[in-house]
């Protein structure tokens, strides 16, 4: 097994340590970069947070970039929710005790099963996320009667790559397993691999974090796909060694 790690720069270390302990070869190519949004309206953000009954964080990046933007000044009265274990840990690190989605469904669908989101008619809810995120969560919470606001605290892009060279490096290294932790990373992977090498990509074991990304991978024509059901390191490792 030779594994391609694709998280943004600086976000692969836990997986590197875990694979090293298991004597599994890996190759790191970040297929996503993340940076703060530049159009922060501080007055509007502060006003929105003061009214918030519930604040939901969609990722660790949401925690990091939003907290930096307001100098860690979060309201004490709000109830905080995290989409998964990593986001929960990131909140705990900055002193926020949060509730998280169930371990067996660390995504939008899991959040929607929480009791704290079942009786929310008239509640003010803020979703902290990146630009262009999914609408499913806000749509469902609106149907339940909540007053919804977004804070898009960061934006994503694809790092500049010499696509033909990097794909040759992957093949020369013997990559046969690729860890994908978001739909955007999957999009960037497919864009990076030229058509003449797509047959090689179809032979790789692709590990994805959710049913949504699993279905997207199938739609792209990928064939050996495992749904880890979460993006955190433990879930990915479990999926990695199941096959």
């Amino acid at each position: 097994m030779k594994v391609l790690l694709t998280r943004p720069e600086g976000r692969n270390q836990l997986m590197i340590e875990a694979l090293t302990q298991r004597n599994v070869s890996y190759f790191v190519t970040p297929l996503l970069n993340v940076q703060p949004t530049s159009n922060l309206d501080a007055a509007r953000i502060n006003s929105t947070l003061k009214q918030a009954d519930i604040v939901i964080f969609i990722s660790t990046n949401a925690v990091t970039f939003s907290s930096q933007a307001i100098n860690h000044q979060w309201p004490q009265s709000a109830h905080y929710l995290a989409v998964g274990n990593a986001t929960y840990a990131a909140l705990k690190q900055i002193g926020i005790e949060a509730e998280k989605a169930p371990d067996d469904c660390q995504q939008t669908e899991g959040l929607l099963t929480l009791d704290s989101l079942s009786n929310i008619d008239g509640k003010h809810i803020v979703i902290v996320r990146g630009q262009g995120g999914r609408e499913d969560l806000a749509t469902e919470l609106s149907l339940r009667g909540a007053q919804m606001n977004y804070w898009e605290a960061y934006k994503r892009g694809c790092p500049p790559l010499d696509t033909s060279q990097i794909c040759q490096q992957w093949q020369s290294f013997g990559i046969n397993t690729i860890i994908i932790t978001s739909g955007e990373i999957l999009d960037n992977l497919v864009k990076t691999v030229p058509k003449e090498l797509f047959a090689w990509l179809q032979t790789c074991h692709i590990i994805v974090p959710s049913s949504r990304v699993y279905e997207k991978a199938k739609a792209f024509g990928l064939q050996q796909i495992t749904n880890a059901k979460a993006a955190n390191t433990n879930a990915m490792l479990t999926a990695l060694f199941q096959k």
Side-chain angles (χ1 to χ4, degrees), residues 5-243:
L5 304 179
T6 61
R7 281 185 185 269
E9 189 74 37
R11 296 287 310 282
N12 292 289
Q13 192 56 40
L14 287 177
M15 185 60 76
I16 287 171
E17 292 171 4
L19 294 179
T20 300
Q21 289 174 359
R22 292 164 173 80
N23 294 316
V24 175
S25 298
Y26 61 86
F27 193 101
V28 180
T29 304
L31 290 178
L32 189 72
N33 59 23
V34 184
Q35 52 191 307
T37 50
S38 56
N39 58 342
L40 176 68
D41 183 342
R44 186 187 70 82
I45 292 298
N46 286 331
S47 174
T48 300
L49 289 176
K50 282 179 182 177
Q51 296 180 62
D53 299 298
I54 298 171
V55 182
I56 303 173
F57 294 86
I58 297 302
S59 66
T60 57
N61 286 319
V63 176
T64 300
F65 289 110
S66 63
S67 200
Q68 288 172 352
I70 62 170
N71 197 28
H72 310 289
Q73 299 300 306
W74 293 100
Q76 298 292 315
S77 56
H79 182 62
Y80 293 93
L81 298 178
V83 73
N85 288 331
T87 306
Y88 172 85
L91 286 168
K92 196 173 183 90
Q93 199 165 33
I94 62 171
I96 292 178
E97 285 294 332
E99 185 180 8
K100 62 181 177 178
D103 286 342
D104 61 351
C105 190
Q106 296 203 328
Q107 50 194 305
T108 292
E109 293 73 15
L111 282 172
L112 289 169
T113 67
L114 296 175
D115 289 343
S116 52
L117 292 179
S118 64
N119 185 18
I120 53 173
D121 189 26
K123 299 269 189 178
H124 289 265
I125 298 180
V126 179
I127 296 177
V128 186
R129 66 174 191 176
Q131 286 183 348
R134 294 171 66 193
E135 303 299 329
D136 307 49
L137 180 59
T139 299
E140 176 58 31
L141 296 179
S142 294
L143 290 173
R144 297 180 185 183
Q147 303 296 309
M148 299 303 305
N149 278 289
Y150 283 126
W151 179 3
E152 296 187 326
Y154 62 97
K155 56 186 177 182
R156 313 170 189 85
C158 186
L161 297 168
D162 183 329
T163 56
S164 60
Q165 182 183 42
I166 196 66
C167 289
Q168 287 175 4
Q169 289 176 344
W170 293 344
Q171 284 190 296
S172 297
F173 189 78
I175 292 298
N176 56 21
T177 304
I178 303 176
I179 291 181
I180 300 292
T181 52
S182 72
E184 292 87 356
I185 290 177
L186 178 62
D187 290 338
N188 291 340
L189 172 68
V190 171
K191 290 174 188 173
T192 298
V193 176
K195 289 181 181 178
E196 61 269 22
L197 293 180
F198 196 76
W200 163 77
L201 184 60
Q202 289 178 308
T203 68
C204 292
H205 178 204
I206 311 295
I207 301 177
V208 300
S210 67
S211 300
R212 179 181 65 90
V213 184
Y214 180 90
E215 292 301 326
K216 177 181 273 198
K218 279 178 62 179
F220 278 136
L222 301 178
Q223 297 172 353
Q224 301 186 56
I225 316 163
T226 298
N227 179 7
K229 299 183 180 178
N232 64 73
T233 299
N234 286 338
M236 288 289 164
L237 285 170
T238 299
L240 189 66
F241 292 103
Q242 274 179 346
K243 186 159 176 133

